[in-house]
């Protein structure tokens, strides 16, 4: 495997960066005009090594559009965990997750959230993911610091780890807090894109997505590179919903770089902070391999209708059907391109799998699931077959 060096840039003082601010172009849509930091002052596509609080202090104020943070959980695990067959369970026992007390954890949380708030633009937003161990403490501190909570998203794991001891309910979800800088700030929310991604039903705050496994899981010598690598589908939805193309996303707890890999695919800029050298190297190698989507696939829907058990968009964000893939119907005489939000484009037509199928046939309606075919393992199959494969793979 090619050696990838961790890219480091000399710290720049926030004052110098701010001295180079330019006035934003005329306010577009409902956004307020805000001073913008010149891009050259940001260490884009860089993982800043060391402690994230110190790392964020190197960044200019009001310079990033979104923060995605997956901080230590403070799991406080006592002893090893085993399955009923005696095999060892990979749990988070690393030093980066250890804190002496709740007070120490709270102090650290306040410090990094304060820096995240400083570097966020006034109309930016923040996502923090956590479990019952930490998310309530994090949420309270966010409110204390002035963040305005917009949603708490429940990521329901399609295939969670069982509770081996049988002493509690299976812990089958994590919570993501999504917050703006304040009650009045004009944060980005791509409502229409989310509705399209969800087969034209309003996207809800409970998301069923599989945990990171299979080929996506980074491994070295057969072992997981990182105990808490997040699935790309989760970041895909977060970024598609709350950022625009070219926006800058900062992840202070970069780990194996899930945020960077998805940002690159979706045409967003990224900056990471990570204290462990091994994770930084793994992340850079991974991001190097991530392929950005082309312009046509990246354009997302501005309008949409209908809803089965699995949304077509779920197949796209989980990678079962790739953005940019070609769908065909009527023995190849009708074709369409899959876009990043799960919409289709065919010539001038854009819409869902159902609406594009209907318009192409001049029909009042169409069941896109059985109408469209895709090449899978050398054979043309209805996209419904891929949906069935997805359902099978996520069965508990
Ligand atoms: C929960 S993991 C993030 C995993 C990541 N989302 C992924 O998909 O790979 C938290 C990461 O934060 C890093 N970390 C913990 N404390 C840190 C600190 N003070 N500064 C920078 N990185 C830190 C850990 O090394 C760990 O990789």
């Amino acid at each position: 495997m090619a050696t990838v060096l961790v890219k480091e840039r000399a710290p720049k003082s926030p004052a110098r960066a701010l001295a180079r601010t330019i006035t934003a172009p005329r306010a577009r849509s409902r956004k307020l005009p805000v001073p913008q930091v010149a891009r050259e002052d940001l260490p884009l596509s860089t993982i800043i090594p060391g402690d994230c609080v110190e790392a964020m202090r190197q960044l200019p104020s009001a310079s990033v559009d979104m923060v995605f943070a997956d901080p230590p959980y403070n799991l406080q695990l006592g002893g090893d965990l085993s399955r009923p067959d005696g095999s060892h369970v990979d749990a988070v026992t690393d030093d980066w997750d250890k804190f002496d007390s709740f007070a120490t954890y709270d102090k650290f949380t306040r410090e990094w959230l304060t820096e995240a708030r400083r570097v966020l633009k006034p109309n930016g937003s923040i996502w923090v993911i956590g479990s019952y161990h930490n998310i309530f403490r994090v949420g309270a501190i966010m409110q204390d610091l002035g963040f305005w909570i917009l949603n708490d998203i429940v990521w329901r794991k399609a295939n969670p780890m069982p509770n081996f001891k049988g002493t509690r309910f299976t812990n089958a979800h994590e919570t993501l807090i999504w917050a703006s800088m304040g009650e009045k700030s004009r944060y980005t929310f791509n409502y229409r894109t989310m509705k399209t991604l969800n087969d034209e039903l309003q996207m809800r705050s409970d998301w069923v997505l599989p945990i990171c496994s299979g080929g996506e899981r980074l491994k070295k010598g057969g072992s997981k590179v990182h105990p808490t690598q997040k699935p790309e589908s989760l970041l895909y939805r977060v970024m598609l919903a709350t950022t625009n193309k070219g926006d800058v996303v900062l992840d202070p707890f970069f780990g194996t770089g899930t945020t960077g890999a998805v940002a690159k695919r979706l045409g967003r800029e990224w900056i990471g902070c990570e204290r462990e050298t091994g994770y930084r190297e793994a992340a850079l190698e991974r991001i190097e391999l991530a392929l950005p989507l082309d312009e046509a696939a990246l354009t997302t829907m501005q309008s949409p209708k209908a809803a089965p058990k699995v949304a077509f968009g779920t197949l796209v964000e989980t990678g079962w059907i790739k953005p940019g893939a070609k769908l065909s119907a009527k023995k190849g005489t009708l074709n369409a391109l899959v876009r990043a939000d799960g919409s289709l484009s065919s010539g001038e037509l854009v819409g869902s799998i159902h609406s594009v199928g209907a318009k192409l046939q001049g029909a009042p309606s169409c069941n896109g699931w059985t109408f469209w075919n895709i090449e899978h393992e050398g054979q043309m199959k209805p996209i419904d077959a891929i949906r069935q494969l997805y359902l099978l793979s996520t069965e508990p």
Side-chain angles (χ1 to χ4, degrees), residues 69-86:
D70 181 9
Y73 294 83
N74 193 20
L75 284 187
Q76 303 171 303
L77 290 177
D80 277 355
L81 190 58
S82 314
R83 296 189 178 83
D85 65 3

Side-chain angles (χ1 to χ4, degrees), residues 7-126:
K7 212 169 126 195
E8 295 181 27
R9 283 172 50 138
K12 286 188 177 157
S13 80
R16 198 184 113 208
L18 278 178
R20 304 192 51 182
T21 57
I22 50 168
T23 310
R26 188 175 303 151
R28 276 186 301 116
S29 66
R30 58 198 183 97
K31 299 256 173 187
L32 295 173
V34 288
Q36 287 185 353
V37 170
R39 294 261 163 155
E40 313 88 84
D41 289 314
L42 291 175
L44 301 179
S45 309
T46 302
I47 308 175
I48 310 174
D51 173 57
C52 65
V53 179
E54 289 305 318
M56 284 191 279
R57 285 189 183 132
Q58 299 171 25
L59 300 176
S61 301
S63 60
V64 308
D65 298 282
M66 197 256 264
V67 169
F68 180 89
D70 181 9
Y73 294 83
N74 193 20
L75 284 187
Q76 303 171 303
L77 290 177
D80 277 355
L81 190 58
S82 314
R83 296 189 178 83
D85 65 3
S87 60
H88 181 74
V89 175
D90 275 337
V92 187
T93 50
D94 309 58
D95 281 349
W96 58 257
D97 201 49
K98 294 200 171 87
F99 293 83
D100 293 342
S101 60
F102 284 141
T104 320
Y105 185 78
D106 291 352
K107 179 171 176 289
F108 169 68
T109 302
R110 204 167 289 112
E111 280 172 4
W112 75 256
L113 276 170
T114 300
E115 277 310 303
R117 189 171 169 81
R118 184 186 61 76
V119 300
L120 264 171
K121 293 180 184 171
N123 290 328
S125 71
I126 182 169

Side-chain angles (χ1 to χ4, degrees), residues 50-52 70 96 226 228 230 253 256 258 274-276 279:
D51 173 57
C52 65
D70 181 9
W96 58 257
H226 198 292
T228 68
K230 294 296 172 295
F253 304 97
T256 51
T258 312
E274 172 55 57
R275 61 180 232 179
E276 306 287 331
Y279 296 157

Side-chain angles (χ1 to χ4, degrees), residues 70 87 133 182-183 239 243 258 263 294 302 332 347 358 361 381:
D70 181 9
S87 60
H133 309 86
E183 189 179 355
M239 267 182 231
T243 61
T258 312
D294 70 23
Q302 306 297 328
Q361 302 176 87
K381 296 203 167 145

Side-chain angles (χ1 to χ4, degrees), residues 57 117 136 172 259 289 379:
R57 285 189 183 132
R117 189 171 169 81
F136 302 106
T259 301
L289 297 175
Q379 284 187 324

Side-chain angles (χ1 to χ4, degrees), residues 104-165:
T104 320
Y105 185 78
D106 291 352
K107 179 171 176 289
F108 169 68
T109 302
R110 204 167 289 112
E111 280 172 4
W112 75 256
L113 276 170
T114 300
E115 277 310 303
R117 189 171 169 81
R118 184 186 61 76
V119 300
L120 264 171
K121 293 180 184 171
N123 290 328
S125 71
I126 182 169
W127 287 82
V128 188
I129 181 169
S131 61
Y132 65 87
H133 309 86
N134 65 335
I135 201 68
F136 302 106
R137 313 191 78 80
V138 170
I141 294 169
M142 287 174 78
Q143 288 180 319
D144 289 348
L145 292 176
F147 286 110
W148 187 256
I149 297 183
L150 298 164
N151 276 117
D152 63 325
I153 300 290
V154 171
W155 164 34
R156 190 151 82 75
K157 299 177 183 177
N159 43 354
M161 201 195 308
N163 182 268
F164 292 111
K165 289 183 181 164

